[in-house]
Amino acid sequence: MTAKATYQFAGKTILITGGAGDIGKATAHRFAANGAGVALLDLNEPKMAEVAKELKSYNVPVGTFRCDVTAFDDVAKAFTGAVEQLGRIDYVFNNAGYQGAFAKTDEYPEDDFQKVININVVGVFHILKAAAQHLRDVGGGAIVNMASYAGVVGPPNMLAYAASKFAVIGMTQTAAKDLAPYGIRVNALSPALIGPGFMWTRQTELQAAVGSQYFDADPKVVEQQMINSVPMRRLGSLEEVANGVAFLMSEEASYITGFNLEVTGGQ
């Protein structure tokens, strides 16, 4: 994978949670191509190491840090390690998340609901708090929280995920107000249908398996049903999500905070 430089982040460092995933990887490439050092946080150390190896071609500092976002002590340790190894953190992409089960509300599993909330809400809060403390102490910076179009218009059969992403948008709006006096901008990004990739394949297969009135039982048909709901009639790419993150972090967005950028193809 290669990325085209657009914004200038030379001498800066971005910390990316969920750094081993598809969106985390694409964003790491986008920022490294623009001169930024990259700190990757994830539980999947082998995949994180693969991403770090890919980033070597950009000749920027790269560090990998194992981190469970649901444990604040783990988050604090990862931030400390990133600063020690890379020297600074200027941007934080609060990206780690879990899609959860696909089931009707009356059948949604309680344990999975709690897992989604722990990762997507509590985990996002932990990273947001640690980022706020660090950026406050160094004189400012920018945070982008990964939300979802599911947190704008709740989709069927995704109760926990929708609830968690509505919460992320709310946290973003409040944190933007709280942190503005410190020169910290906080925005959210809400992609809709993005692919190809693990999450796209997973959601088409699991929506088909629910047996609801909204989607066909054949995942291939579900794919087309979903794409037909997009005015632009295509999936968004991972690179287009990364572009949104780069814009919100950049100086071009210097007067934008508390905003939820929808990357949806017009949905």
Side-chain angles (χ1 to χ4, degrees):
M1 178 183 289
T2 58
K4 181 178 68 176
T6 304
Y7 302 108
Q8 295 304 311
F9 298 122
K12 305 290 187 179
T13 299
I14 183 170
L15 182 147
I16 301 173
T17 67
D22 291 338
I23 290 175
K25 174 181 173 179
T27 304
H29 274 273
R30 166 58 67 204
F31 276 79
N34 286 267
V38 180
L40 301 169
L41 276 62
D42 207 296
L43 283 172
N44 191 330
E45 293 181 275
K47 285 194 70 176
M48 203 165 35
E50 290 176 10
V51 176
K53 185 177 180 180
E54 293 177 14
L55 298 178
K56 286 184 178 180
S57 63
Y58 299 106
N59 296 313
V60 297
V62 179
T64 61
F65 306 88
R66 187 184 186 280
C67 181
D68 177 359
V69 297
T70 68
F72 188 74
D73 287 348
D74 222 32
V75 169
K77 181 180 178 182
F79 265 76
T80 298
V83 172
E84 289 177 351
Q85 183 171 333
L86 300 175
R88 61 185 295 146
I89 297 170
D90 302 281
Y91 314 113
V92 175
F93 183 30
N94 200 351
N95 170 61
Y98 170 56
Q99 201 174 35
F102 285 70
K104 298 172 185 176
T105 297
D106 54 321
E107 299 172 354
Y108 202 95
E110 293 91 343
D111 58 343
D112 190 80
F113 191 97
Q114 188 65 60
K115 181 178 180 180
V116 172
I117 297 303
N118 283 345
I119 296 172
N120 294 1
V121 180
V122 178
V124 165
F125 160 67
H126 286 162
I127 294 294
L128 182 59
K129 179 177 179 178
Q133 291 175 338
H134 174 78
L135 295 176
R136 174 198 65 197
D137 293 344
V138 299
I143 301 167
V144 172
N145 295 321
M146 176 53 80
S148 169
Y149 194 59
V152 178
V153 180
N157 309 316
M158 298 180 72
L159 184 70
Y161 189 73
S164 71
K165 296 304 184 177
F166 272 96
V168 169
I169 294 170
M171 285 194 289
T172 298
Q173 293 172 349
T174 293
K177 295 178 177 68
D178 291 345
L179 301 179
Y182 304 120
I184 303 170
R185 296 186 299 106
V186 187
N187 292 293
L189 192 77
S190 283
L193 303 179
I194 305 299
F198 171 75
M199 289 183 68
W200 166 245
T201 300
R202 183 179 187 271
Q203 69 180 311
T204 57
E205 292 176 348
L206 294 184
Q207 283 287 22
V210 171
S212 72
Q213 66 179 351
Y214 302 101
F215 297 107
D216 193 86
D218 182 346
K220 292 298 181 184
V221 176
V222 172
E223 288 185 12
Q224 199 57 54
Q225 288 177 308
M226 289 185 172
I227 291 171
N228 286 344
S229 73
V230 180
M232 292 183 72
R233 291 296 191 271
R234 67 173 177 86
L235 296 177
S237 70
L238 296 168
E239 289 75 20
E240 286 171 319
V241 175
N243 289 343
V245 178
F247 167 68
L248 290 174
M249 298 291 195
S250 74
E251 285 303 308
E252 282 83 350
S254 58
Y255 198 54
I256 298 174
T257 194
F259 180 65
N260 179 42
L261 178 62
E262 298 177 15
V263 183
T264 66
Q267 281 189 306

